[in-house]
mmCIF file of all heavy atoms in Angstrom:
data_model
loop_
_atom_site.group_PDB
_atom_site.id
_atom_site.type_symbol
_atom_site.label_atom_id
_atom_site.label_comp_id
_atom_site.label_asym_id
_atom_site.label_seq_id
_atom_site.Cartn_x
_atom_site.Cartn_y
_atom_site.Cartn_z
ATOM 1 N N SER I 103 -174.467 -139.106 -102.758
ATOM 2 C CA SER I 103 -173.996 -139.871 -103.915
ATOM 3 C C SER I 103 -172.570 -140.304 -103.626
ATOM 4 O O SER I 103 -171.941 -139.845 -102.686
ATOM 5 C CB SER I 103 -174.027 -138.994 -105.171
ATOM 6 O OG SER I 103 -173.091 -137.943 -105.032
ATOM 7 N N SER I 104 -172.077 -141.177 -104.414
ATOM 8 C CA SER I 104 -170.696 -141.629 -104.203
ATOM 9 C C SER I 104 -169.741 -140.817 -105.071
ATOM 10 O O SER I 104 -168.689 -141.295 -105.456
ATOM 11 C CB SER I 104 -170.576 -143.124 -104.492
ATOM 12 O OG SER I 104 -171.008 -143.372 -105.822
ATOM 13 N N GLU I 105 -170.138 -139.586 -105.361
ATOM 14 C CA GLU I 105 -169.288 -138.701 -106.153
ATOM 15 C C GLU I 105 -168.068 -138.280 -105.342
ATOM 16 O O GLU I 105 -168.177 -138.029 -104.142
ATOM 17 C CB GLU I 105 -170.072 -137.454 -106.579
ATOM 18 C CG GLU I 105 -171.219 -137.737 -107.522
ATOM 19 C CD GLU I 105 -170.772 -138.301 -108.858
ATOM 20 O OE1 GLU I 105 -169.810 -137.759 -109.446
ATOM 21 O OE2 GLU I 105 -171.360 -139.299 -109.297
ATOM 22 N N PRO I 106 -166.928 -138.161 -105.996
ATOM 23 C CA PRO I 106 -165.719 -137.726 -105.290
ATOM 24 C C PRO I 106 -165.862 -136.306 -104.727
ATOM 25 O O PRO I 106 -166.568 -135.475 -105.280
ATOM 26 C CB PRO I 106 -164.646 -137.762 -106.379
ATOM 27 C CG PRO I 106 -165.185 -138.682 -107.416
ATOM 28 C CD PRO I 106 -166.670 -138.509 -107.386
ATOM 29 N N VAL I 107 -165.187 -136.070 -103.617
ATOM 30 C CA VAL I 107 -165.205 -134.765 -102.958
ATOM 31 C C VAL I 107 -163.789 -134.202 -102.984
ATOM 32 O O VAL I 107 -162.825 -134.909 -102.674
ATOM 33 C CB VAL I 107 -165.707 -134.887 -101.496
ATOM 34 C CG1 VAL I 107 -165.719 -133.531 -100.807
ATOM 35 C CG2 VAL I 107 -167.084 -135.530 -101.453
ATOM 36 N N LEU I 108 -163.677 -132.950 -103.347
ATOM 37 C CA LEU I 108 -162.375 -132.296 -103.404
ATOM 38 C C LEU I 108 -161.775 -132.122 -102.013
ATOM 39 O O LEU I 108 -162.507 -131.857 -101.043
ATOM 40 C CB LEU I 108 -162.498 -130.921 -104.062
ATOM 41 C CG LEU I 108 -162.899 -130.894 -105.537
ATOM 42 C CD1 LEU I 108 -163.203 -129.462 -105.976
ATOM 43 C CD2 LEU I 108 -161.806 -131.507 -106.396
ATOM 44 N N ILE I 109 -160.462 -132.219 -101.937
ATOM 45 C CA ILE I 109 -159.762 -131.999 -100.669
ATOM 46 C C ILE I 109 -160.070 -130.599 -100.142
ATOM 47 O O ILE I 109 -160.293 -130.420 -98.950
ATOM 48 C CB ILE I 109 -158.236 -132.195 -100.822
ATOM 49 C CG1 ILE I 109 -157.904 -133.672 -100.971
ATOM 50 C CG2 ILE I 109 -157.488 -131.616 -99.629
ATOM 51 C CD1 ILE I 109 -156.433 -133.967 -101.161
ATOM 52 N N ALA I 110 -160.102 -129.618 -101.025
ATOM 53 C CA ALA I 110 -160.372 -128.243 -100.605
ATOM 54 C C ALA I 110 -161.728 -128.140 -99.907
ATOM 55 O O ALA I 110 -161.865 -127.425 -98.911
ATOM 56 C CB ALA I 110 -160.317 -127.302 -101.810
ATOM 57 N N ASP I 111 -162.728 -128.852 -100.408
ATOM 58 C CA ASP I 111 -164.055 -128.826 -99.787
ATOM 59 C C ASP I 111 -164.036 -129.482 -98.415
ATOM 60 O O ASP I 111 -164.606 -128.961 -97.456
ATOM 61 C CB ASP I 111 -165.091 -129.518 -100.677
ATOM 62 C CG ASP I 111 -165.357 -128.757 -101.971
ATOM 63 O OD1 ASP I 111 -165.026 -127.548 -102.043
ATOM 64 O OD2 ASP I 111 -165.884 -129.378 -102.909
ATOM 65 N N LEU I 112 -163.378 -130.641 -98.313
ATOM 66 C CA LEU I 112 -163.275 -131.332 -97.026
ATOM 67 C C LEU I 112 -162.514 -130.466 -96.020
ATOM 68 O O LEU I 112 -162.910 -130.355 -94.862
ATOM 69 C CB LEU I 112 -162.569 -132.677 -97.187
ATOM 70 C CG LEU I 112 -163.313 -133.771 -97.936
ATOM 71 C CD1 LEU I 112 -162.393 -134.944 -98.219
ATOM 72 C CD2 LEU I 112 -164.531 -134.217 -97.152
ATOM 73 N N SER I 113 -161.445 -129.865 -96.486
ATOM 74 C CA SER I 113 -160.615 -129.028 -95.634
ATOM 75 C C SER I 113 -161.415 -127.851 -95.083
ATOM 76 O O SER I 113 -161.356 -127.552 -93.886
ATOM 77 C CB SER I 113 -159.422 -128.518 -96.451
ATOM 78 O OG SER I 113 -158.690 -127.562 -95.749
ATOM 79 N N GLN I 114 -162.178 -127.219 -95.944
ATOM 80 C CA GLN I 114 -162.955 -126.056 -95.530
ATOM 81 C C GLN I 114 -164.105 -126.440 -94.593
ATOM 82 O O GLN I 114 -164.341 -125.763 -93.598
ATOM 83 C CB GLN I 114 -163.508 -125.341 -96.757
ATOM 84 C CG GLN I 114 -164.160 -124.026 -96.445
ATOM 85 C CD GLN I 114 -164.590 -123.299 -97.699
ATOM 86 O OE1 GLN I 114 -164.751 -123.888 -98.761
ATOM 87 N NE2 GLN I 114 -164.779 -121.997 -97.570
ATOM 88 N N ARG I 115 -164.795 -127.533 -94.882
ATOM 89 C CA ARG I 115 -165.946 -127.960 -94.063
ATOM 90 C C ARG I 115 -165.590 -128.153 -92.601
ATOM 91 O O ARG I 115 -166.339 -127.804 -91.709
ATOM 92 C CB ARG I 115 -166.506 -129.292 -94.576
ATOM 93 C CG ARG I 115 -167.373 -129.179 -95.762
ATOM 94 C CD ARG I 115 -167.924 -130.549 -96.104
ATOM 95 N NE ARG I 115 -168.237 -130.618 -97.513
ATOM 96 C CZ ARG I 115 -168.617 -131.704 -98.144
ATOM 97 N NH1 ARG I 115 -168.730 -132.836 -97.482
ATOM 98 N NH2 ARG I 115 -168.892 -131.689 -99.411
ATOM 99 N N ASP I 116 -164.438 -128.802 -92.377
ATOM 100 C CA ASP I 116 -164.080 -129.153 -91.000
ATOM 101 C C ASP I 116 -162.851 -128.424 -90.478
ATOM 102 O O ASP I 116 -162.258 -128.843 -89.480
ATOM 103 C CB ASP I 116 -163.885 -130.666 -90.888
ATOM 104 C CG ASP I 116 -165.206 -131.413 -90.919
ATOM 105 O OD1 ASP I 116 -166.102 -131.036 -90.147
ATOM 106 O OD2 ASP I 116 -165.339 -132.359 -91.711
ATOM 107 N N ALA I 117 -162.462 -127.341 -91.157
ATOM 108 C CA ALA I 117 -161.313 -126.530 -90.726
ATOM 109 C C ALA I 117 -160.061 -127.377 -90.507
ATOM 110 O O ALA I 117 -159.410 -127.310 -89.468
ATOM 111 C CB ALA I 117 -161.678 -125.733 -89.471
ATOM 112 N N ILE I 118 -159.742 -128.198 -91.506
ATOM 113 C CA ILE I 118 -158.556 -129.054 -91.457
ATOM 114 C C ILE I 118 -157.525 -128.466 -92.419
ATOM 115 O O ILE I 118 -157.855 -128.204 -93.575
ATOM 116 C CB ILE I 118 -158.892 -130.500 -91.881
ATOM 117 C CG1 ILE I 118 -159.999 -131.079 -90.984
ATOM 118 C CG2 ILE I 118 -157.648 -131.379 -91.855
ATOM 119 C CD1 ILE I 118 -160.553 -132.410 -91.485
ATOM 120 N N PRO I 119 -156.299 -128.260 -91.961
ATOM 121 C CA PRO I 119 -155.278 -127.733 -92.870
ATOM 122 C C PRO I 119 -155.152 -128.623 -94.122
ATOM 123 O O PRO I 119 -155.027 -129.843 -94.022
ATOM 124 C CB PRO I 119 -153.998 -127.758 -92.038
ATOM 125 C CG PRO I 119 -154.473 -127.725 -90.616
ATOM 126 C CD PRO I 119 -155.782 -128.465 -90.613
ATOM 127 N N LYS I 120 -155.213 -127.985 -95.291
ATOM 128 C CA LYS I 120 -155.289 -128.717 -96.560
ATOM 129 C C LYS I 120 -154.095 -129.656 -96.773
ATOM 130 O O LYS I 120 -154.279 -130.812 -97.149
ATOM 131 C CB LYS I 120 -155.410 -127.723 -97.715
ATOM 132 C CG LYS I 120 -155.683 -128.358 -99.047
ATOM 133 C CD LYS I 120 -155.863 -127.313 -100.127
ATOM 134 C CE LYS I 120 -155.927 -127.990 -101.471
ATOM 135 N NZ LYS I 120 -155.910 -127.031 -102.564
ATOM 136 N N LYS I 121 -152.890 -129.176 -96.563
ATOM 137 C CA LYS I 121 -151.696 -130.018 -96.786
ATOM 138 C C LYS I 121 -151.691 -131.229 -95.853
ATOM 139 O O LYS I 121 -151.324 -132.326 -96.244
ATOM 140 C CB LYS I 121 -150.410 -129.206 -96.589
ATOM 141 C CG LYS I 121 -150.112 -128.265 -97.716
ATOM 142 C CD LYS I 121 -149.632 -129.038 -98.920
ATOM 143 C CE LYS I 121 -149.199 -128.092 -100.018
ATOM 144 N NZ LYS I 121 -149.047 -128.774 -101.290
ATOM 145 N N PHE I 122 -152.094 -131.017 -94.610
ATOM 146 C CA PHE I 122 -152.149 -132.108 -93.640
ATOM 147 C C PHE I 122 -153.207 -133.115 -94.069
ATOM 148 O O PHE I 122 -152.984 -134.328 -94.032
ATOM 149 C CB PHE I 122 -152.451 -131.538 -92.255
ATOM 150 C CG PHE I 122 -152.227 -132.486 -91.109
ATOM 151 C CD1 PHE I 122 -151.320 -133.535 -91.178
ATOM 152 C CD2 PHE I 122 -152.921 -132.310 -89.923
ATOM 153 C CE1 PHE I 122 -151.119 -134.396 -90.109
ATOM 154 C CE2 PHE I 122 -152.722 -133.163 -88.843
ATOM 155 C CZ PHE I 122 -151.820 -134.206 -88.937
ATOM 156 N N LEU I 123 -154.353 -132.622 -94.524
ATOM 157 C CA LEU I 123 -155.425 -133.496 -94.987
ATOM 158 C C LEU I 123 -154.987 -134.305 -96.203
ATOM 159 O O LEU I 123 -155.322 -135.480 -96.324
ATOM 160 C CB LEU I 123 -156.682 -132.684 -95.293
ATOM 161 C CG LEU I 123 -157.914 -133.480 -95.709
ATOM 162 C CD1 LEU I 123 -158.293 -134.515 -94.649
ATOM 163 C CD2 LEU I 123 -159.084 -132.546 -95.986
ATOM 164 N N GLU I 124 -154.228 -133.699 -97.094
ATOM 165 C CA GLU I 124 -153.707 -134.421 -98.262
ATOM 166 C C GLU I 124 -152.885 -135.623 -97.828
ATOM 167 O O GLU I 124 -153.032 -136.720 -98.360
ATOM 168 C CB GLU I 124 -152.851 -133.492 -99.137
ATOM 169 C CG GLU I 124 -153.642 -132.512 -99.955
ATOM 170 C CD GLU I 124 -152.755 -131.528 -100.718
ATOM 171 O OE1 GLU I 124 -151.505 -131.645 -100.666
ATOM 172 O OE2 GLU I 124 -153.317 -130.629 -101.361
ATOM 173 N N ALA I 125 -152.009 -135.410 -96.856
ATOM 174 C CA ALA I 125 -151.161 -136.499 -96.351
ATOM 175 C C ALA I 125 -152.006 -137.591 -95.698
ATOM 176 O O ALA I 125 -151.753 -138.788 -95.879
ATOM 177 C CB ALA I 125 -150.129 -135.948 -95.370
ATOM 178 N N ILE I 126 -153.013 -137.191 -94.942
ATOM 179 C CA ILE I 126 -153.885 -138.146 -94.257
ATOM 180 C C ILE I 126 -154.652 -138.988 -95.279
ATOM 181 O O ILE I 126 -154.695 -140.218 -95.188
ATOM 182 C CB ILE I 126 -154.862 -137.410 -93.316
ATOM 183 C CG1 ILE I 126 -154.102 -136.775 -92.146
ATOM 184 C CG2 ILE I 126 -155.955 -138.346 -92.812
ATOM 185 C CD1 ILE I 126 -154.910 -135.760 -91.341
ATOM 186 N N LEU I 127 -155.252 -138.322 -96.255
ATOM 187 C CA LEU I 127 -156.028 -139.041 -97.269
ATOM 188 C C LEU I 127 -155.134 -139.940 -98.124
ATOM 189 O O LEU I 127 -155.549 -141.023 -98.537
ATOM 190 C CB LEU I 127 -156.825 -138.060 -98.136
ATOM 191 C CG LEU I 127 -157.976 -137.366 -97.406
ATOM 192 C CD1 LEU I 127 -158.594 -136.285 -98.286
ATOM 193 C CD2 LEU I 127 -159.036 -138.362 -96.963
ATOM 194 N N HIS I 128 -153.913 -139.497 -98.365
ATOM 195 C CA HIS I 128 -152.972 -140.338 -99.114
ATOM 196 C C HIS I 128 -152.701 -141.638 -98.348
ATOM 197 O O HIS I 128 -152.690 -142.729 -98.937
ATOM 198 C CB HIS I 128 -151.672 -139.581 -99.376
ATOM 199 C CG HIS I 128 -150.666 -140.389 -100.119
ATOM 200 N ND1 HIS I 128 -150.786 -140.702 -101.449
ATOM 201 C CD2 HIS I 128 -149.525 -140.992 -99.702
ATOM 202 C CE1 HIS I 128 -149.764 -141.455 -101.827
ATOM 203 N NE2 HIS I 128 -148.989 -141.648 -100.781
ATOM 204 N N GLU I 129 -152.507 -141.536 -97.039
ATOM 205 C CA GLU I 129 -152.278 -142.731 -96.212
ATOM 206 C C GLU I 129 -153.517 -143.624 -96.196
ATOM 207 O O GLU I 129 -153.412 -144.848 -96.302
ATOM 208 C CB GLU I 129 -151.903 -142.320 -94.785
ATOM 209 C CG GLU I 129 -151.637 -143.473 -93.855
ATOM 210 C CD GLU I 129 -150.413 -144.298 -94.214
ATOM 211 O OE1 GLU I 129 -149.537 -143.806 -94.953
ATOM 212 O OE2 GLU I 129 -150.333 -145.456 -93.750
ATOM 213 N N LEU I 130 -154.691 -143.032 -96.076
ATOM 214 C CA LEU I 130 -155.930 -143.809 -96.085
ATOM 215 C C LEU I 130 -156.150 -144.485 -97.437
ATOM 216 O O LEU I 130 -156.669 -145.597 -97.506
ATOM 217 C CB LEU I 130 -157.125 -142.918 -95.725
ATOM 218 C CG LEU I 130 -157.172 -142.450 -94.270
ATOM 219 C CD1 LEU I 130 -158.189 -141.330 -94.087
ATOM 220 C CD2 LEU I 130 -157.472 -143.617 -93.330
ATOM 221 N N LYS I 131 -155.726 -143.825 -98.504
ATOM 222 C CA LYS I 131 -155.825 -144.429 -99.843
ATOM 223 C C LYS I 131 -154.856 -145.610 -99.958
ATOM 224 O O LYS I 131 -155.210 -146.675 -100.454
ATOM 225 C CB LYS I 131 -155.532 -143.389 -100.921
ATOM 226 C CG LYS I 131 -155.617 -143.957 -102.331
ATOM 227 C CD LYS I 131 -155.324 -142.922 -103.389
ATOM 228 C CE LYS I 131 -155.373 -143.590 -104.758
ATOM 229 N NZ LYS I 131 -155.078 -142.637 -105.833
ATOM 230 N N ARG I 132 -153.650 -145.399 -99.496
ATOM 231 C CA ARG I 132 -152.629 -146.454 -99.549
ATOM 232 C C ARG I 132 -153.067 -147.695 -98.794
ATOM 233 O O ARG I 132 -152.748 -148.818 -99.173
ATOM 234 C CB ARG I 132 -151.323 -145.903 -98.968
ATOM 235 C CG ARG I 132 -150.081 -146.684 -99.299
ATOM 236 C CD ARG I 132 -148.817 -145.989 -98.821
ATOM 237 N NE ARG I 132 -148.653 -145.976 -97.390
ATOM 238 C CZ ARG I 132 -148.326 -147.034 -96.650
ATOM 239 N NH1 ARG I 132 -148.142 -148.198 -97.205
ATOM 240 N NH2 ARG I 132 -148.178 -146.929 -95.352
ATOM 241 N N ARG I 133 -153.859 -147.499 -97.739
ATOM 242 C CA ARG I 133 -154.317 -148.617 -96.908
ATOM 243 C C ARG I 133 -155.709 -149.121 -97.289
ATOM 244 O O ARG I 133 -156.303 -149.933 -96.600
ATOM 245 C CB ARG I 133 -154.291 -148.207 -95.432
ATOM 246 C CG ARG I 133 -152.887 -147.851 -94.922
ATOM 247 C CD ARG I 133 -151.955 -149.045 -94.755
ATOM 248 N NE ARG I 133 -152.373 -149.916 -93.714
ATOM 249 C CZ ARG I 133 -152.045 -149.809 -92.430
ATOM 250 N NH1 ARG I 133 -151.248 -148.833 -92.042
ATOM 251 N NH2 ARG I 133 -152.498 -150.656 -91.551
ATOM 252 N N GLY I 134 -156.279 -148.609 -98.390
ATOM 253 C CA GLY I 134 -157.529 -149.142 -98.926
ATOM 254 C C GLY I 134 -158.819 -148.643 -98.309
ATOM 255 O O GLY I 134 -159.871 -149.244 -98.507
ATOM 256 N N VAL I 135 -158.760 -147.537 -97.580
ATOM 257 C CA VAL I 135 -159.969 -147.002 -96.958
ATOM 258 C C VAL I 135 -160.698 -146.066 -97.924
ATOM 259 O O VAL I 135 -161.918 -146.093 -98.014
ATOM 260 C CB VAL I 135 -159.652 -146.278 -95.629
ATOM 261 C CG1 VAL I 135 -160.909 -145.705 -94.996
ATOM 262 C CG2 VAL I 135 -158.949 -147.227 -94.660
ATOM 263 N N VAL I 136 -159.940 -145.244 -98.626
ATOM 264 C CA VAL I 136 -160.522 -144.337 -99.620
ATOM 265 C C VAL I 136 -159.857 -144.580 -100.970
ATOM 266 O O VAL I 136 -158.844 -145.270 -101.070
ATOM 267 C CB VAL I 136 -160.354 -142.835 -99.228
ATOM 268 C CG1 VAL I 136 -161.061 -142.522 -97.932
ATOM 269 C CG2 VAL I 136 -158.893 -142.435 -99.172
ATOM 270 N N ASP I 137 -160.448 -143.973 -101.977
ATOM 271 C CA ASP I 137 -159.849 -143.982 -103.313
ATOM 272 C C ASP I 137 -160.007 -142.579 -103.860
ATOM 273 O O ASP I 137 -160.700 -141.756 -103.268
ATOM 274 C CB ASP I 137 -160.524 -145.012 -104.214
ATOM 275 C CG ASP I 137 -159.560 -145.572 -105.263
ATOM 276 O OD1 ASP I 137 -158.497 -144.957 -105.492
ATOM 277 O OD2 ASP I 137 -159.876 -146.620 -105.843
ATOM 278 N N SER I 138 -159.361 -142.313 -104.985
ATOM 279 C CA SER I 138 -159.462 -140.984 -105.566
ATOM 280 C C SER I 138 -159.640 -141.077 -107.068
ATOM 281 O O SER I 138 -159.331 -142.098 -107.686
ATOM 282 C CB SER I 138 -158.219 -140.157 -105.235
ATOM 283 O OG SER I 138 -157.079 -140.731 -105.846
ATOM 284 N N LYS I 139 -160.157 -140.000 -107.594
ATOM 285 C CA LYS I 139 -160.351 -139.879 -109.033
ATOM 286 C C LYS I 139 -159.717 -138.565 -109.450
ATOM 287 O O LYS I 139 -159.945 -137.539 -108.813
ATOM 288 C CB LYS I 139 -161.852 -139.880 -109.346
ATOM 289 C CG LYS I 139 -162.181 -139.735 -110.800
ATOM 290 C CD LYS I 139 -163.690 -139.710 -111.006
ATOM 291 C CE LYS I 139 -164.017 -139.380 -112.451
ATOM 292 N NZ LYS I 139 -165.446 -139.166 -112.640
ATOM 293 N N LYS I 140 -158.915 -138.606 -110.490
ATOM 294 C CA LYS I 140 -158.247 -137.392 -110.966
ATOM 295 C C LYS I 140 -159.083 -136.711 -112.035
ATOM 296 O O LYS I 140 -159.957 -137.319 -112.633
ATOM 297 C CB LYS I 140 -156.865 -137.739 -111.521
ATOM 298 C CG LYS I 140 -155.902 -138.215 -110.469
ATOM 299 C CD LYS I 140 -154.533 -138.459 -111.028
ATOM 300 C CE LYS I 140 -153.622 -138.918 -109.903
ATOM 301 N NZ LYS I 140 -152.250 -139.077 -110.324
ATOM 302 N N GLY I 141 -158.769 -135.444 -112.260
ATOM 303 C CA GLY I 141 -159.411 -134.699 -113.336
ATOM 304 C C GLY I 141 -160.717 -134.057 -112.933
ATOM 305 O O GLY I 141 -161.065 -133.965 -111.755
ATOM 306 N N LYS I 142 -161.466 -133.622 -113.965
ATOM 307 C CA LYS I 142 -162.749 -132.957 -113.729
ATOM 308 C C LYS I 142 -163.692 -133.919 -113.003
ATOM 309 O O LYS I 142 -163.832 -135.066 -113.392
ATOM 310 C CB LYS I 142 -163.353 -132.527 -115.050
ATOM 311 C CG LYS I 142 -164.600 -131.704 -114.897
ATOM 312 C CD LYS I 142 -165.052 -131.161 -116.233
ATOM 313 C CE LYS I 142 -166.384 -130.494 -116.081
ATOM 314 N NZ LYS I 142 -166.289 -129.060 -116.005
ATOM 315 N N GLY I 143 -164.327 -133.434 -111.958
ATOM 316 C CA GLY I 143 -165.205 -134.284 -111.164
ATOM 317 C C GLY I 143 -164.436 -135.214 -110.245
ATOM 318 O O GLY I 143 -164.981 -136.152 -109.690
#
Side-chain angles (χ1 to χ4, degrees):
S103 66
S104 57
E105 295 296 314
V107 180
L108 294 171
I109 287 179
D111 293 342
L112 290 170
S113 172
Q114 188 175 20
R115 281 184 206 174
D116 286 309
I118 303 170
K120 188 177 172 188
K121 285 287 186 194
F122 194 26
L123 184 57
E124 285 175 3
I126 292 166
L127 291 173
H128 179 72
E129 180 66 20
L130 290 167
K131 180 180 178 181
R132 197 173 70 73
R133 298 288 293 272
V135 179
V136 298
D137 210 344
S138 65
K139 179 182 173 188
K140 293 184 179 185
K142 186 173 173 101

